[in-house]
Amino acid sequence: MDVTTDAAPWLIVGLGNPGPEYAGNRHNVGFMVADLLADRVGGRFKRAGRAQAQVVEGRIGPPGPSNRRVVLAKPMSFMNLSGGPVNALRDFYKVPVDHVVAIHDELDIDYGALRLKLGGGDNGHNGLKSMTKAFGAEYHRVRFGIGRPPGRMPVADFVLKDFASVERKELDYFVDRAADAVECLVIDGLERAQSTYNS
């Protein structure tokens, strides 16, 4: 990685849907992790100029060479249109694609498990599909497992429901662990983050 790329900020995007009616949905776990990261850097989300998103600017990591400048973002466009606001922020902050991190819910992983990766398909996730269409697939993903819907419940209904009461007992722990994984990815790199947090 060259010096200019290394000096570029990281754009950490929590995916979700705006509005209080969606706040506790499984589909909004990306927002939950982004909110926790904002607390950790001591910032509050604010509207980002003309971009359809809310952002917090801050730094992650100890003082010194491993300290990273980050822009935390929550697109306010609804999930399936996330690519436009994220790309606008990427242009504004001059963030290379490989410095973008998407935090999102993942149906094909057990509840609470994490998988980190760079690039790949969207696996039917509309937020990822929109981002990939906007600027290509070579961004990082922090995939937060929500499991499959029970019985014959349609996927769309399942992801737009709040976490079940039994899931909520562990949700804070899992969100905290996902925030740790994002910090590790940005500070120590993908391989270290995968070996520590992939489950």
Side-chain angles (χ1 to χ4, degrees):
M1 194 176 286
D2 66 37
V3 178
T4 37
T5 309
D6 210 33
W10 285 77
L11 178 58
I12 299 168
V13 182
L15 292 178
N17 287 310
E21 67 271 36
Y22 298 105
N25 288 181
R26 293 181 177 91
H27 222 19
N28 270 43
V29 75
F31 274 18
M32 296 173 197
V33 178
D35 285 337
L36 179 56
L37 286 165
D39 285 345
R40 290 185 181 184
V41 303
R44 296 184 64 173
F45 278 101
K46 297 190 177 88
R47 198 80 186 194
R50 287 184 294 178
Q52 209 176 354
Q54 293 183 349
V55 298
V56 169
E57 295 180 50
R59 301 195 81 87
I60 284 176
S66 61
N67 190 261
R68 300 285 183 259
R69 186 173 151 229
V70 296
V71 179
L72 306 172
K74 296 192 294 186
M76 293 285 116
S77 57
F78 288 94
M79 181 70 85
N80 60 352
L81 299 172
S82 301
V86 175
N87 205 30
L89 292 173
R90 202 179 67 75
D91 285 346
F92 180 78
Y93 289 102
K94 298 181 171 47
V95 178
V97 175
D98 68 351
H99 272 49
V100 176
V101 181
I103 310 162
H104 65 92
D105 58 307
E106 179 61 66
L107 287 159
D108 288 336
I109 303 174
D110 290 341
Y111 173 59
L114 294 175
R115 300 268 171 80
L116 287 80
K117 69 174 190 170
L118 174 64
D122 56 57
N123 206 19
H125 193 286
N126 288 330
L128 298 182
K129 196 175 292 183
S130 179
M131 286 176 61
T132 297
K133 187 177 177 186
F135 52 84
E138 289 306 301
Y139 54 92
H140 290 86
R141 299 102 190 276
V142 175
R143 304 157 73 202
F144 186 112
I146 59 168
R148 300 294 304 184
R152 297 187 176 186
M153 182 188 289
V155 164
D157 292 348
F158 178 69
V159 299
L160 292 175
K161 280 195 184 318
D162 286 2
F163 285 99
S165 54
V166 66
E167 293 171 323
R168 283 200 296 272
K169 290 176 183 169
E170 294 183 292
L171 183 59
D172 286 348
Y173 167 75
F174 289 139
V175 167
D176 193 67
R177 190 166 181 273
D180 290 346
V182 172
E183 292 184 346
C184 183
L185 167 63
V186 168
I187 295 165
D188 298 318
L190 180 61
E191 283 185 27
R192 170 71 65 85
Q194 285 175 325
S195 65
T196 307
Y197 292 100
N198 273 14
S199 47

